[in-house]
Amino acid sequence: MSTTTTTTTAPKLVKRSAPLFTEKARERVMAIVSPLGLLLIWEIAARFGLIDTRFFPAPSSIGGTFMELVRSGELWANTAASLQRLFWGCLAGGIPALLLGIAMGLSRGLRVIVEPLIAATYPIPKSSILPLALLVFGLGEPSKIFMVAIGVFFPVVINATTGVLGIDKIFLDVGHNFHASRWSMFRTIALPGAMPVIMTGVRLGVGMGLVLIAIAEMVGAKSGLGYMIWSAWETFSVEQMYVGLFVIAIIGFVLTLLLNELERVLVPWRRS
Amino acid sequence: MEVALADTGGAIGAGQAQTAAIRIDGLVKRYGPFVAIDHLSLEIPRGQFFVIVGPSGCGKTTLLRILAGLDKPSEGRIETIAPAAGRPGNSMVFQGDSIFPWMNVWDNAAYGLRMRGAPKAEIAEVVGHYLDRTGLRRFAKSYPHQLSGGMRQRVSIARAFANDPEILLMDEPFSALDAQNKLLLQEELLRIWEEHRKTVVFITHSVDEAVILGDRIMVMTAQPGRIKNFVDVTLPRPRDVLELQRSPVYAELVHTIWSSLRDEVNRAKRQAEGEG
Ligand SMILES: Nc1ncnc2c1ncn2[C@@H]1O[C@H](COP(=O)(O)OP(=O)(O)OP(=O)(O)O)[C@@H](O)[C@H]1O
Ligand SMILES: [Mg+2]
């Protein structure tokens, strides 16, 4: 028999109280603080000559140029031109991609025909098509819109197909059992069922579209943010270049917020 | 392969359990060399609550899917009664979660009616009725992920009933539920069914459930699926589940079905071990 030692240490209670700031609130604060901190360091470094202001002008002087460009209306005109191309390009690339992608998900026959074509053209760097686009569509708007459309098309078509193929087969059986027409299968099952995956594709596509519109406008355009950045290089107006980059970054950021909102509306059933 | 039965008409009134709702003749279903269902012939009269029990993998779901027209038989004939104009032939309550996660409870329950273009007023009335009957009215605007498993299953049942089919096909609708919810849903199903007495083909693993719900029970053999025997349940309706379970007739029936099923379940087990 073993001896029983009767040490009566009271069990320790672990204290757990609600954190002062929730994880989310802390993340949100950091999202504002960290870029501001970077700007501050940059400003100080520029003022004290720690960095070459020919390449990295102080944020305050970029801000001055920004205000000038706003006042002259130049910035707005260029931003509007880029946004318009982006918008039409997203529609021109996204809608066919959505329809084709879902149809491919539903029809094996179509998939067999189209999939190799997509697999073969997808790896081509989209920017390398620009000369061809200029050749075919000329220097006007269509070539820019085409470039955006190409960028949006691939991620959306691929994700739409993947999304439909990922839908649990039982839902398609339910559709058949309830005599859903082809169009109803598309509208009530394939489209909403694939929507979460499609939205990922839309995000990727819009990001790609933004990259491509900037590139397309640098060559053969007389307006747009890409053009503004390129002409700043030609005139060595570094501040203007930074303003262009800054606005593109803001557009990217705002588009992300808009797409989050769109997803909340289109996919209300997703667990948060 | 679905051929509508000619309506015999005449003396047999609708609802009388005399007309056949389903007639299966020499049904064979193969998956490659694998025989899932082997020469099965069967007739189910209109208005009967027909229950199928059998060991796992004996072809119950396969049979139901063929009845639903979702799969094709390899051999044999299937006839199902021609539904009245505008009504669907059958609706299925699938094994496992099958309500659309992207539709709220109301839209899920209204799905069948919408797909056949029923008028708005009718949809509102019928769907409202079945959501009331299944106790889901308060959750009409909820999405499936906000519901419990039992509630989701009720949506699936409401969806099938609201579609007002000639034949209801139910594949283990309660198997994923806990005992308490199962009992409640069985009672609900009995009440809803007794309103209209549709033809039901109901699959279950639970012998108790088979006796509680069914008019006639078919025991199937282990793979390949054949008919082993039928057991008629003569217990009176309307049935009270708790009362029923105390009756000696009930116990006797459960025992009979169990003894018949036990050999098959053991055989299925040996088959599975033989493979593994
Ligand atoms: N698409 C298929 N391809 C190949 N084999 C299949 C297919 N569907 C079913 N089977 C086989 O047919 C047999 C019967 O399957 P079924 O789903 O009808 O069984 P069940 O009686 O419903 O079983 P459970 O009670 O477990 O649901 C099983 O052995 C299964 O593996
Ligand atoms: Mg099954």
Side-chain angles (χ1 to χ4, degrees):
Chain A
M1 283 218 75
S2 60
T3 49
T4 46
T5 45
T6 51
T7 41
T8 51
T9 40
K12 256 188 202 144
L13 292 177
V14 179
K15 200 171 156 192
R16 257 182 254 181
S17 49
L20 205 53
F21 295 106
T22 62
E23 189 81 0
K24 261 225 168 108
R26 223 178 315 158
E27 278 172 18
R28 214 169 297 158
V29 169
M30 279 317 283
I32 298 167
V33 167
S34 83
L36 281 181
L38 181 68
L39 279 182
L40 191 68
I41 293 169
W42 183 355
E43 179 77 37
I44 293 169
R47 294 242 172 143
F48 288 90
L50 299 175
I51 50 175
D52 191 338
T53 49
R54 281 175 308 169
F55 307 130
F56 307 104
S60 55
S61 84
I62 297 173
T65 310
F66 179 85
M67 292 316 291
E68 258 169 54
L69 287 168
V70 169
R71 237 173 278 137
S72 71
E74 215 175 311
L75 183 63
W76 173 241
N78 285 321
T79 306
S82 292
L83 283 179
Q84 247 167 45
R85 290 164 186 155
L86 195 61
F87 176 78
W88 292 115
C90 283
L91 289 190
I95 291 173
L98 191 68
L99 297 177
L100 179 63
I102 293 178
M104 280 169 67
L106 289 174
S107 154
R108 191 187 188 84
L110 189 63
R111 203 156 63 238
V112 168
I113 297 169
V114 183
E115 210 156 48
L117 300 179
I118 290 179
T121 48
Y122 179 57
I124 300 173
K126 307 299 167 287
S127 46
S128 67
I129 302 173
L130 181 57
L132 184 65
L134 290 174
L135 215 57
V136 175
F137 294 105
L139 288 171
E141 291 303 292
S143 60
K144 319 288 174 304
I145 293 171
F146 173 79
M147 288 306 290
V148 175
I150 281 281
V152 173
F153 179 83
F154 282 95
V156 174
V157 77
I158 290 169
N159 277 47
T161 307
T162 313
V164 172
L165 289 175
I167 295 173
D168 197 333
K169 200 183 154 301
I170 200 167
F171 297 127
L172 302 176
D173 283 340
V174 172
H176 285 126
N177 189 232
F178 285 91
H179 302 292
S181 61
R182 254 171 184 281
W183 167 241
S184 293
M185 291 290 268
F186 188 96
R187 187 177 54 85
T188 65
I189 299 172
L191 183 63
M195 194 48 90
V197 185
I198 291 174
M199 280 309 294
T200 308
V202 170
R203 264 171 223 286
L204 291 171
V206 170
M208 182 58 89
L210 198 56
V211 170
L212 287 173
I213 193 62
I215 294 175
E217 284 170 348
M218 286 182 189
V219 186
K222 286 282 161 275
S223 63
L225 291 167
Y227 162 77
M228 197 177 103
I229 293 169
W230 191 254
S231 63
W233 175 77
E234 284 174 337
T235 59
F236 209 73
S237 158
V238 184
E239 281 89 350
Q240 182 178 325
M241 205 185 276
Y242 276 97
V243 170
L245 294 177
F246 175 72
V247 173
I248 288 179
I250 292 290
I251 290 174
F253 180 69
V254 170
L255 284 176
T256 304
L257 292 185
L258 283 179
L259 287 173
N260 285 345
E261 210 43 52
L262 184 67
E263 181 159 15
R264 210 166 322 193
V265 173
L266 290 179
V267 193
W269 50 277
R270 217 179 186 187
R271 277 159 232 258
S272 50
Chain B
M1 286 300 278
E2 224 167 288
V3 186
L5 281 184
D7 205 345
T8 43
I12 304 158
Q16 292 299 109
Q18 292 303 319
T19 330
I22 296 170
R23 200 173 285 152
I24 301 170
D25 196 18
L27 172 68
V28 178
K29 179 66 183 179
R30 287 187 215 95
Y31 292 107
F34 180 89
V35 183
I37 296 176
D38 190 19
H39 288 93
L40 189 137
S41 299
L42 176 67
E43 197 171 300
I44 301 175
R46 199 167 175 204
Q48 188 169 71
F49 201 120
F50 188 85
V51 181
I52 302 173
V53 296
S56 186
C58 75
K60 303 182 294 296
T61 299
T62 305
L63 174 58
L64 217 62
R65 287 178 61 86
I66 291 172
L67 284 176
L70 291 171
D71 282 333
K72 302 236 175 305
S74 310
E75 271 176 44
R77 276 169 66 85
I78 305 280
E79 296 172 285
T80 52
I81 195 165
R87 276 179 60 198
N90 72 76
S91 296
M92 181 118 152
V93 177
F94 288 82
Q95 183 171 6
D97 243 348
S98 74
I99 59 170
F100 300 121
W102 49 87
M103 289 182 198
N104 64 26
V105 168
W106 181 279
D107 291 339
N108 261 297
Y111 191 71
L113 289 166
R114 288 204 180 130
M115 286 305 109
R116 57 189 164 94
K120 272 213 167 75
E122 184 192 333
I123 295 177
E125 191 196 319
V126 175
V127 172
H129 173 74
Y130 282 107
L131 289 190
D132 280 337
R133 298 294 280 163
T134 48
L136 288 166
R137 175 71 90 146
R138 283 195 306 124
F139 301 95
K141 291 254 170 331
S142 301
Y143 283 93
H145 77 265
Q146 299 167 309
L147 307 177
S148 72
M151 288 155 85
R152 285 205 288 274
Q153 209 50 44
R154 278 185 279 174
V155 178
S156 177
I157 290 167
R159 177 173 70 186
F161 272 91
N163 200 29
D164 191 24
E166 188 64 47
I167 300 167
L168 270 163
L169 305 171
M170 305 179 81
D171 194 355
E172 301 191 36
F174 306 145
S175 61
L177 303 181
D178 61 276
Q180 295 140 34
N181 264 309
K182 190 182 288 197
L183 184 77
L184 290 179
L185 279 183
Q186 285 165 351
E187 286 182 328
E188 270 169 19
L189 177 61
L190 278 174
R191 277 189 283 112
I192 298 172
W193 180 74
E194 269 152 15
E195 278 179 18
H196 300 292
R197 303 229 169 182
K198 287 176 186 307
T199 312
V200 175
V201 182
F202 188 104
I203 295 175
T204 180
H205 269 125
S206 155
V207 174
D208 293 83
E209 186 166 88
V211 177
I212 287 167
L213 298 173
D215 291 322
R216 189 160 210 233
I217 297 163
M218 175 171 92
V219 182
M220 284 180 75
T221 63
Q223 187 267 321
R226 299 197 191 93
I227 299 171
K228 175 145 196 205
N229 61 310
F230 291 100
V231 177
D232 285 304
V233 182
T234 48
L235 295 161
R237 294 188 190 268
R239 293 178 186 170
D240 178 316
V241 178
L242 290 178
E243 276 304 309
L244 207 64
Q245 288 177 329
R246 299 202 323 202
S247 99
V249 182
Y250 173 87
E252 185 62 37
L253 282 166
V254 170
H255 179 79
T256 311
I257 297 161
W258 254 124
S259 356
S260 155
L261 194 55
R262 188 175 47 199
D263 303 339
E264 297 309 319
V265 175
N266 278 329
R267 208 154 66 81
K269 205 170 140 203
R270 277 198 303 277
Q271 280 175 358
E273 281 163 4
E275 281 166 21

